[in-house]
């Protein structure tokens, strides 16, 4: 048992649901007690999703505990099959099914005989994997399922696309700025003359998965989700992949060069693919770096000079924390005192990435450890998750949010990618704004702060000629500060009209009612 | 009585495939209500994730709750539950020093049959802090019923009234009626308001379950009258009657001016008091609501059902002049809600509208088909459905807000209508723009 107040990565089923509901026309059925479909609330609220989230539960209740859930699960699957005719139904186990140890695979086999839709059981164990690992697995599982099926039916594409093309793996719902990143990646690839074959899973169709091998190579923008699929596709379908995250000027250039080298290796192996001479994107990179992205210029400008050597702490998922650490140190000249991630399962990769870019590394999923580290180091700014933002608030240190877990404000309506060249601009703003805010605050404190008169809690008439009885005063104190002044004024106004001298609780509520009328 | 009731009101029961909050969510308001408590939810990451996201920013304010997160070794019984819980509770005692620790049992503790009730008294003795066990899990209950399980457990901890004839010392102030304890968690301002309403009728409230602090739990026992303020407290009511030998006053719930008046009148009648000035008071409140009533009159409502407040709210809205198509409700205790159901029936007759159909354990999928067919002016539902319905041009109100807003008593009737009319007012503003349907067909 572990005392826990907060977690960075959610339970496994959330990962599976995120992948499943990102596809079009895929329905997930959770094997779960009533109340575990909170995922639908998050998706509807955070993503402001217009459509009903294609997730329902096959509810585990007392009845099911006594008799087993076979009938119910099978019935729910076949019912959903008829109602919505999805291409695929993913039966999703939860912590509850993990301990019930029913043979869910058997239910799936039975249900799939009776339904038009494909049915699979997500292969995730609540106690072994977290949200991100589960998402990675589920994505691979679905891709594998459809490629094997296509292979059996001889439906795999016979050749590559005519022009160089790529699949993007791992863009999905409730991901940190994923939709914006996706748009930015499309733009970048378009600039390079690379067409997009499939984007998986966000907005993709499972029926199109059989086309995946037609692409020349795969792109995995975030390490957490998509890597397993890329590795599978490399092994089974000889597809190379790029797993460098194009975040920051240097890494974006690296990403583009890796693409170039993949294209060149492919064309040299098989010139029939259409390219005669080697591609070279160096001019493009140079142009973008110096003139399109403002970030390179920004690091050179006087503003940024003032940030030199300022202390920062970075924490987040492996992808974002590693990229951010490199950007801050290498591109902006900050001093990263500590870089950390909660992706414990990917700790080695993370250490290797940030080696030489920070003083120390913190691998933990315990937010109090992160908080302690921050208060010990007293950085000038934090780049972390929502949790670190709140730590920052408490310690009066500004924080830029760079990674999930996130809140609704991390789902901006406007265009805010973190990847590609536009992403570098966004990041520069984020960094700069965090620091100027911190500086402003600091200056204000030195010079005595803002105008601190709390006009609102003072009553307008200074010579109040009313007696407030102790219970009245006590009640008044319970009213939140920002409306207390108003309540007090209204009550006194009412008392004046009624000729009441002593204000007690009763008078207060009478006044409230009178004001309502 | 109940047969007459059944003739008029139609009760249906669907599949129970509906969306609601897990009952452990009660932690979020109860830890704030009971100031010296600490809530320990013994469950998995699933429970923790739900609480963390449902509680939103509250979580960052060092709340007095935590998860005892069960790991694989706990499930496979490699670790000793008692030792593990002792370790965590000692830590809580050291860090927070609460007056009570409430253990919330979850689905997992049910399935692995962890004997919380057995362990609590032993541990309580050992660490010297009361431990109250409430099994508020998603296998058995929905959303607000979580509070019911906690209060039912707390009811057992209330001190026993020593002498039936001579009332305990806090009751000596000339109240010429038997002691009255109200049950249901409400913000302290609402507690004050309702207490005052009764005081105006010469009725002294001798205590509330829950109280502001665990150490101030009310005295219970034979001869004590109890009355509920929430429709979802049927287990607590049963416990108070059966285990604590209290007398239950079955009244409609003090939600809306009509409900509040009926609630007070019922309590008065039990204590043989003639209510004073209630009629005028009610009509004055109604008159004060006229600006909102104008907006809702003749409009229709559909409750998808997720928090058990539905019957009372429907009754109030019908009295406001609305037509209610359907009242979805997770669980319907016809005995505990008898007076409320009767008032609903009476209200329908009085307002000359058809009785709504009451659907227990609704099926959200079928409900959405019915909503498409009826096209109600307003759907009261959970957040999972709000945005998708809005995108299809149907006005919605998020049901959970009724649980967190102050809706009890005369004074707060306006608050309910403020919530109900908000989508209507907002969408009135937007109507001229012609964007009501925002999905492609
Ligand atoms: S339904 Fe059960 S498993 Fe899910 S959050 Fe509630 S108590 Fe935990």
């Amino acid at each position: 048992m572990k005392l826990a107040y907060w977690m960075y990565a959610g339970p496994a089923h959330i990962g599976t649901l995120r992948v499943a509901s990102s596809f079009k026309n895929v329905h997930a059925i959770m094997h779960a007690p009533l109340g575990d479909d909170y995922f639908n609330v998050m998706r509807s609220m955070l993503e402001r999703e217009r459509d009903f989230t294609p997730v329902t539960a096959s509810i585990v209740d007392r009845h099911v505990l006594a008799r087993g859930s076979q009938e119910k699960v099978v019935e729910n699957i076949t019912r959903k099959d008829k109602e919505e005719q999805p291409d695929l139904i993913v039966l999703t186990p939860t912590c509850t099914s993990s301990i019930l140890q029913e043979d869910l695979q058997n239910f799936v086999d039975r249900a799939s005989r009776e339904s038009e839709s494909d049915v699979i059981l997500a292969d995730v164990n609540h106690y072994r994997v977290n949200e991100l690992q589960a998402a990675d697995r589920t994505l691979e599982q679905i891709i594998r399922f459809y490629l094997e099926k296509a292979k059996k039916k001889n439906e795999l594409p016979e050749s590559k696309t005519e022009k160089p093309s790529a699949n993007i793996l791992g863009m999905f719902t409730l991901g940190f700025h994923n939709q914006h990143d996706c748009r930015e990646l499309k733009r970048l690839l378009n600039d390079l003359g690379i067409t997009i074959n499939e984007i998986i899973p966000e907005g993709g169709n499972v029926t199109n998965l059989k086309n995946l091998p037609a692409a020349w190579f795969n792109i995995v923008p975030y390490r957490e989700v998509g890597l397993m699929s890329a590795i599978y596709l490399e092994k089974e379908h000889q597809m190379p992949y790029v797993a460098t995250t194009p975040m920051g000027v240097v890494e974006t250039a690296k990403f583009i060069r890796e693409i170039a080298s993949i294209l060149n290796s492919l064309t040299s192996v098989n010139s029939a693919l259409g390219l005669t001479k080697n591609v070279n994107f160096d001019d493009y990179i140079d142009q973008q770096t110096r003139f399109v992205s403002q970030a390179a210029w920004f690091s050179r400008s006087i503003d940024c000079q003032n940030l030199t050597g300022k202390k920062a702490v970075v924490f987040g998922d492996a992808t974002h924390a590693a990229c951010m650490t490199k950007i801050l140190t290498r591109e902006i000249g900050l001093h990263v005192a500590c870089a950390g991630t909660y992706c414990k399962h990917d700790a080695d990769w993370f250490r290797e990435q940030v080696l030489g870019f920070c003083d120390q590394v913190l691998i933990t999923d315990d937010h109090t450890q992160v908080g302690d580290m921050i208060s010990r180091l007293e950085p000038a700014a934090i780049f972390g998750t929502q949790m670190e933002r709140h730590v920052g608030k408490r310690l009066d240190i500004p924080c830029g949010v760079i990674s999930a877990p996130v809140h609704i404000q991390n789902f901006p309506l406007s265009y805010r990618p973190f990847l590609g060249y536009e992403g570098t601009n966004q990041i520069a703003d984020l960094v700069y704004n965090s620091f100027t805010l911190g500086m402003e605050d600091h200056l204000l404190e030195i010079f005595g702060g803002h105008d601190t008169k709390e006009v609102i809690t003072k009553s307008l008439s200074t010579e109040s000629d009313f007696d407030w009885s102790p219970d009245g005063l006590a009640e008044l104190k319970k009213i939140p500060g920002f409306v207390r002044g108003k309540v007090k004024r209204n009550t006194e106004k009412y008392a004046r009209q009624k000729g009441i001298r002593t204000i007690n609780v009763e008078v207060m509520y009478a006044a409230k009612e009178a004001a309502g009328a | 009585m109940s047969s007459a009731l059944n003739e008029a009101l139609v009760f249906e029961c669907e599949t129970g495939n509906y969306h609601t909050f897990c009952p452990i969510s009660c932690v979020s308001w109860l830890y704030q209500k009971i100031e010296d408590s600490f809530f320990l939810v013994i469950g998995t990451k699933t429970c923790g994730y739900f609480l963390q996201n449902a509680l939103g920013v509250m979580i960052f304010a060092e709340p007095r709750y935590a998860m005892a997160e069960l790991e694989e070794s706990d499930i496979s019984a490699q670790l000793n539950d008692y030792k593990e819980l002792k370790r965590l509770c000692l830590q809580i005692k050291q860090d927070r020093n609460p007056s009570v620790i409430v253990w919330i049992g979850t689905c997992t503790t049910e399935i692995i049959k962890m004997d919380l009730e057995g362990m609590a008294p032993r541990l309580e003795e050992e660490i010297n802090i009361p431990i109250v066990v409430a099994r508020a899990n998603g296998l058995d209950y929905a959303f607000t019923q979580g509070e019911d399980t906690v209060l039912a457990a707390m009811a057992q901890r209330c001190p026993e009234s020593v002498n039936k004839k001579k009332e305990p010392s806090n009751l000596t102030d000339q109240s010429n009626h038997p002691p009255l304890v109200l049950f249901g968690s409400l913000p302290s301002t609402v507690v004050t308001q309702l207490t005052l309403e009764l005081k105006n009728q010469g009725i002294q409230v001798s205590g509330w379950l829950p109280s502001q602090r665990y150490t101030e739990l009310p005295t219970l026992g034979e001869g004590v009258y109890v009355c509920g303020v929430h429709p979802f407290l049927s287990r607590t009511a049963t416990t108070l009657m059966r285990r604590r030998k209290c007398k239950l006053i079955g009244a409609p719930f003090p939600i809306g001016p009509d409900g509040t008046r009926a609630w007070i009148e019922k309590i008065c009648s039990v204590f043989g008091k003639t209510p004073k000035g209630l009629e005028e008071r009610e009509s004055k409140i109604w008159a004060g609501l006229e600006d909102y009533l104008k907006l809702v009159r003749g409009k229709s409502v559909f409750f998808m059902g997720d928090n058990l407040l539905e019957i009372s709210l429907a009754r109030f809205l019908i009295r406001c002049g609305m037509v209610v198509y359907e009242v979805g409700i997770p669980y319907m205790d016809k005995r505990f809600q008898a007076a409320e159901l009767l008032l609903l029936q009476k209200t329908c007759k009085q307002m000359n509208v058809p009785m709504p159909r009451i659907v227990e354990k609704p099926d959200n999928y079928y409900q959405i088909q019915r909503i498409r067919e009826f096209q109600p002016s307003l759907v009261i539902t959970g957040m999972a459905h709000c945005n998708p319905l809005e995108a299809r041009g149907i006005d919605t109100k998020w049901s959970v807000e009724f649980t967190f807003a102050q809706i009890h008593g005369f004074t707060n009737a306006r608050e309910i209508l403020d919530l109900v009319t908000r989508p209507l007012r907002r969408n009135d503003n937007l109507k001229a723009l012609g964007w009501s349907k925002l999905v492609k067909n």
Side-chain angles (χ1 to χ4, degrees):
Chain A
M1 262 180 231
K2 175 168 109 185
L3 202 57
Y5 298 87
W6 206 76
M7 68 184 90
Y8 285 102
H13 69 266
I14 298 286
T16 296
L17 296 181
R18 283 175 61 190
V19 167
S21 62
S22 294
F23 280 110
K24 277 198 199 127
N25 213 25
V26 170
H27 199 100
I29 296 184
M30 303 166 67
H31 183 239
L34 188 71
D36 276 357
D37 63 351
Y38 191 71
F39 174 76
N40 297 31
V41 176
M42 293 189 57
R43 191 164 125 106
S44 173
M45 221 155 91
L46 299 178
E47 292 266 30
R48 301 181 191 89
E49 194 38 73
R50 299 176 202 215
D51 278 318
F52 293 99
T53 301
V55 173
T56 43
S58 177
I59 294 184
V60 179
D61 55 17
R62 282 284 158 198
H63 207 64
V64 164
L65 286 193
R67 315 199 12 203
S69 43
Q70 166 135 329
E71 293 315 316
K72 205 165 178 181
V73 169
V74 172
E75 206 180 284
N76 277 315
I77 294 175
T78 48
R79 178 183 155 187
K80 211 26 85 181
D81 172 57
K82 292 207 181 67
E83 281 168 2
E84 317 240 348
Q85 289 133 5
D87 297 322
L88 169 68
I89 293 175
V90 181
L91 181 62
T92 310
T94 59
C95 59
T96 306
S97 23
S98 281
I99 43 175
L100 281 178
Q101 293 186 331
E102 288 183 286
D103 189 358
L104 293 180
Q105 186 59 53
N106 172 7
F107 307 170
V108 161
D109 295 342
R110 246 193 67 189
S112 55
R113 263 176 263 136
E114 288 168 39
S115 34
E116 299 283 318
S117 328
D118 295 315
V119 189
I120 62 174
L121 170 68
D123 170 29
V124 292
N125 179 329
H126 174 91
Y127 292 97
R128 305 276 165 86
V129 293
N130 69 19
E131 172 183 359
L132 297 171
Q133 294 163 295
D136 203 13
R137 270 169 196 246
T138 304
L139 185 59
E140 193 243 24
Q141 197 189 350
I142 294 176
I143 289 176
R144 184 190 288 265
F145 178 84
Y146 279 99
L147 287 183
E148 280 171 7
K149 187 172 162 186
K151 196 171 166 194
K152 261 189 225 133
K153 290 190 172 173
N154 258 332
E155 285 179 354
L156 287 176
E158 309 207 320
S159 58
K160 298 284 171 193
T161 56
E162 199 180 316
K163 286 228 210 118
S165 65
N167 300 315
I168 301 179
L169 305 176
M171 292 290 176
F172 67 143
T173 190
L174 291 172
F176 184 73
H177 293 243
N178 273 16
Q179 293 188 10
H180 311 276
D181 284 349
C182 191
R183 217 168 108 191
E184 185 62 21
L185 272 185
K186 280 195 224 166
R187 199 164 84 175
L188 179 64
L189 292 174
N190 189 38
D191 284 354
L192 301 177
I194 295 166
T195 54
I196 298 201
N197 189 49
E198 295 286 337
I199 296 174
I200 299 298
E202 185 63 53
N205 282 310
V206 282
T207 46
N208 287 352
L209 288 175
K210 60 174 183 289
N211 300 331
L212 283 177
W216 290 28
F217 67 104
N218 290 315
I219 292 175
V220 183
Y222 318 105
R223 283 196 61 77
E224 286 73 22
V225 179
L227 208 51
M228 273 181 84
S229 309
I231 292 170
Y232 164 77
L233 288 167
E234 183 184 47
K235 197 163 150 247
E236 296 293 325
H237 298 272
Q238 293 75 47
M239 299 178 74
Y241 65 89
V242 180
T244 297
T245 303
M247 186 170 150
V249 179
V250 179
E251 295 292 297
T252 303
K254 188 173 164 220
F255 169 82
I256 296 173
R257 292 206 175 92
E258 279 181 30
I259 291 178
S261 88
I262 284 181
L263 292 183
N264 292 334
S265 71
L266 288 177
T267 46
S268 60
V269 174
N270 184 2
S271 62
L273 281 173
L275 284 185
T276 42
K277 61 177 194 325
N278 277 358
V279 293
N280 185 336
F281 297 133
D282 287 353
D283 286 347
Y284 175 77
I285 294 173
D286 182 60
Q287 190 69 13
Q288 293 285 322
T289 304
R290 289 196 298 143
F291 304 109
V292 176
S293 159
Q294 299 294 316
W297 160 236
F298 166 76
S299 358
R300 188 71 207 220
S301 70
I302 296 300
D303 276 344
C304 199
Q305 208 178 75
N306 286 338
L307 301 182
T308 308
K310 286 228 166 0
K311 207 180 342 174
V313 166
V314 180
F315 194 83
D317 64 26
T319 300
H320 288 87
C323 290
M324 203 61 198
T325 304
K326 288 192 238 176
I327 294 171
L328 294 177
T329 308
R330 184 163 60 185
E331 297 177 19
I332 302 185
L334 289 161
H335 172 168
V336 178
C338 176
T341 181
Y342 55 84
C343 295
K344 281 158 90 177
H345 60 278
D346 213 10
D348 292 341
W349 178 85
F350 185 78
R351 278 204 193 87
E352 188 193 329
Q353 289 296 305
V354 298
L355 186 74
F357 293 107
C358 59
D359 299 347
Q360 53 177 319
V361 174
L362 178 65
I363 311 283
T364 181
D365 55 6
D366 176 355
H367 71 93
T368 54
Q369 273 192 39
V370 184
D372 289 348
M373 176 68 95
I374 293 171
S375 55
R376 197 164 58 242
L377 293 172
E378 290 185 47
I382 312 166
F383 297 93
T385 71
Q386 280 294 334
M387 191 39 144
E388 284 67 49
R389 194 170 74 84
H390 284 268
V391 173
K393 258 193 193 162
R394 213 162 36 225
L395 301 173
D396 254 334
I397 302 172
C399 177
V401 175
I402 55 141
S403 157
V406 282
H407 278 176
I408 191 142
Q409 65 263 42
N410 303 114
F411 291 88
L413 300 175
S414 58
Y415 188 49
R416 298 271 183 77
F418 269 64
L419 302 189
Y421 286 107
E422 179 54 30
T424 62
N425 294 338
Q426 295 288 339
I427 293 171
D429 276 342
L430 180 79
V431 172
Y432 184 65
N433 291 338
S434 305
F435 278 102
T436 42
L437 281 181
M439 220 112 89
E440 239 169 66
D441 252 20
H442 193 59
L443 287 176
L444 279 171
E445 195 145 288
I446 294 173
F447 295 113
H450 286 287
D451 183 6
T452 48
K453 255 186 271 165
E454 289 169 87
V455 188
I456 204 141
T457 57
K458 298 243 160 72
S459 62
L460 269 185
S461 55
T462 35
E463 295 142 320
S464 155
D465 45 6
F466 294 98
D467 285 331
W468 279 79
S469 70
D471 67 333
L473 270 184
E475 197 62 21
L476 190 63
K477 280 211 198 91
K478 286 185 204 153
I479 293 162
F482 57 98
V483 287
R484 197 181 300 144
K486 188 171 164 222
V487 171
K488 187 167 182 230
R489 280 197 298 279
N490 286 345
T491 311
E492 294 188 346
K493 193 170 133 210
Y494 172 84
R496 193 171 295 122
Q497 281 166 0
K498 298 271 165 179
I500 299 171
R501 290 295 308 269
T502 312
I503 299 179
N504 58 14
V505 196
E506 266 135 304
V507 177
M508 280 181 74
Y509 288 112
K512 187 176 175 200
E513 280 164 31
Chain B
M1 180 197 80
S2 80
S3 73
L5 200 76
N6 286 338
E7 271 164 32
L9 289 167
V10 186
F11 294 96
E12 286 169 47
C13 190
E14 275 183 337
T15 62
N17 272 322
Y18 65 102
H19 160 78
T20 184
F21 276 10
C22 170
I24 60 173
S25 52
C26 67
V27 164
S28 68
W29 64 87
L30 288 176
Y31 89 77
Q32 299 193 57
K33 172 73 197 175
I34 310 169
E35 288 169 0
D36 52 354
S37 63
F38 191 98
F39 284 78
L40 184 67
V41 182
I42 306 163
T44 61
K45 250 187 190 311
T46 306
C47 316
Y49 192 72
F50 163 67
L51 278 179
Q52 158 172 337
N53 286 293
L55 265 61
V57 286
M58 269 189 247
I59 212 97
F60 298 107
E62 301 222 359
R64 288 186 321 281
Y65 95 80
M67 289 293 309
E69 195 183 309
L70 300 169
E71 293 164 298
E72 203 166 15
S73 40
D74 298 302
I75 305 303
S76 55
Q78 285 163 19
L79 292 174
N80 180 318
D81 297 335
Y82 183 78
K83 276 198 196 136
E84 290 294 297
L85 281 169
K86 183 176 164 190
R87 184 170 59 81
L88 302 190
C89 288
L90 280 174
Q91 195 179 330
I92 292 165
K93 182 181 177 182
Q94 188 199 330
D95 295 349
R96 306 292 182 92
N97 193 29
S99 317
V100 61
I101 298 178
V102 183
W103 284 354
I104 303 286
T106 62
C107 300
T108 309
T109 56
E110 287 296 313
I111 297 171
I112 65 174
K113 300 204 165 61
M114 194 184 275
D115 181 21
L116 298 176
E117 275 95 348
M119 286 187 275
R122 264 171 71 203
L123 190 56
E124 174 167 324
E125 197 133 300
E126 217 176 322
I127 69 170
N128 205 15
I129 293 184
I131 295 174
V132 172
V133 181
R135 302 192 194 175
N137 60 68
L139 294 171
D140 300 304
Y141 307 107
F143 195 12
T144 47
Q145 288 179 292
E147 173 176 327
D148 194 21
T149 61
V150 173
L151 296 190
M154 289 242 169
Q156 316 258 36
R157 299 304 187 105
C158 294
E160 184 69 36
S161 51
V162 217
N163 191 328
K164 274 174 269 161
K165 289 229 173 85
K166 213 175 140 275
E167 254 94 63
S169 58
N170 59 339
L171 295 178
T172 45
D173 40 353
Q174 286 98 52
S175 56
N176 50 0
H177 59 81
L180 170 68
V181 169
L182 300 179
F183 58 97
S185 165
L186 288 173
S188 66
T189 46
V190 184
V191 166
T192 315
Q193 288 162 14
L194 289 181
T195 309
L196 275 175
E197 294 296 352
L198 290 173
K199 195 172 145 212
N200 289 339
Q201 303 297 336
I203 293 168
Q204 180 77 29
V205 177
S206 54
W208 281 79
L209 174 69
S211 44
Q212 200 72 20
R213 306 181 63 81
Y214 178 76
T215 47
E216 293 160 4
L217 281 179
T219 307
L220 295 177
E222 227 168 304
V224 173
Y225 280 76
V226 290
C227 186
V229 297
H230 294 308
F232 46 77
L233 296 175
S234 49
R235 276 171 69 92
T236 310
T238 313
T239 309
L240 289 169
M241 285 189 298
R242 301 232 175 101
R243 314 285 294 260
R244 304 307 309 263
K245 304 280 175 273
C246 300
K247 291 201 176 61
L248 178 70
I249 302 178
F253 300 98
I255 291 170
D258 49 342
T260 308
R261 178 177 162 195
W263 181 75
I264 298 173
E265 281 178 348
K266 182 66 196 277
I267 297 175
C268 284
S269 80
V270 169
F271 290 148
K273 311 235 174 207
T274 319
K276 317 183 281 263
L278 274 186
E279 203 175 329
E280 300 86 78
R281 181 133 164 100
E282 190 196 347
S283 47
K284 229 173 99 195
I285 296 284
W286 283 116
L289 297 174
E290 187 50 36
D291 52 341
Y292 278 161
L293 294 177
K294 265 196 220 121
L295 291 173
V296 301
R297 255 182 220 123
K299 299 245 162 67
S300 53
V301 194
F302 190 110
F303 284 88
M304 284 183 76
D306 64 354
N307 59 18
L308 285 96
L309 295 172
E310 291 88 1
I311 300 284
S312 308
L313 288 173
R315 177 262 301 150
F316 167 62
L317 292 182
I318 291 171
R319 182 64 183 74
C320 289
M322 299 185 89
V323 178
V324 178
Y325 285 139
E326 173 165 330
V327 183
I329 186 167
Y331 167 73
M332 180 76 244
D333 185 331
K334 287 183 202 152
R335 277 176 58 191
F336 183 60
Q337 295 227 41
E340 183 62 89
L341 285 168
L342 209 61
L343 184 59
L344 170 68
Q345 217 175 353
K346 223 175 82 189
T347 306
C348 287
K349 272 205 196 101
Q350 197 185 345
M351 301 303 291
N352 198 19
V353 292
M355 306 283 174
R357 72 198 264 215
I358 298 175
V359 181
E360 219 183 326
K361 292 179 178 289
D363 185 298
N364 282 169
Y365 183 85
Y366 299 144
Q367 284 185 311
I368 288 179
Q369 317 270 316
R370 296 199 284 271
I371 288 170
R372 288 204 164 119
E373 192 182 317
F374 291 144
Q375 292 286 321
S377 327
L378 182 70
V379 175
I380 298 183
T381 182
M383 196 42 119
H385 304 299
C386 283
N387 274 340
L389 285 171
E390 289 281 350
R392 283 157 185 78
I394 291 172
D395 291 354
T396 62
K397 180 74 229 154
W398 187 27
S399 53
V400 172
E401 287 192 66
F402 292 100
T403 333
F404 293 119
Q406 308 194 348
I407 60 168
H408 288 73
F410 284 122
T411 324
N412 294 313
R414 207 177 167 76
E415 186 77 15
I416 310 177
L417 281 178
D418 192 63
L419 289 175
V420 169
T421 57
R422 199 172 297 157
L424 305 173
R425 284 178 283 144
R426 193 263 311 263
N427 293 344
D428 263 357
N429 282 343
L430 300 180
K431 205 180 276 161
L433 300 171
W435 298 331
S436 55
K437 282 227 169 74
L438 291 155
V439 279
K440 296 178 192 139
N441 286 327

